[in-house]
Amino acid sequence: MPILSLILVLVAVGVGLWLINNYIPMDGKIKSILNAVVVIGVIIWLLQVFGILGSLQGVTVG
């Protein structure tokens, strides 16, 4: 993945999270959980992009 695409995705996720946090009224606990889920998801995605974390295609839920 080119570095420009990587930066654009990170900026889009950040702006989207900022918009949700500022303009959608919700309880602070729910915002904290949402922020944590997004950050963990982005970290896992970055680890996959850089090849540090193996492919998660074999993981099944349920």
Side-chain angles (χ1 to χ4, degrees), residues 3-5 7 15 17 24 30 35-36 39 41 46-48 53:
I3 191 75
L4 184 60
S5 297
I7 291 172
V15 169
L17 193 58
I24 296 180
I30 296 173
N35 290 339
V39 168
L46 283 172
L47 290 174
Q48 282 184 317
L53 186 65

Side-chain angles (χ1 to χ4, degrees), residues 14-62:
V15 169
L17 193 58
W18 176 77
L19 288 171
I20 289 171
N21 282 331
N22 284 326
Y23 295 112
I24 296 180
M26 65 179 88
D27 188 38
K29 292 179 183 179
I30 296 173
K31 282 185 183 183
S32 298
I33 293 170
L34 176 67
N35 290 339
V37 168
V38 170
V39 168
I40 290 169
V42 168
I43 289 172
I44 291 172
W45 177 72
L46 283 172
L47 290 174
Q48 282 184 317
V49 167
F50 288 113
I52 298 170
L53 186 65
S55 177
L56 293 177
Q57 292 177 349
V59 176
T60 58
V61 177

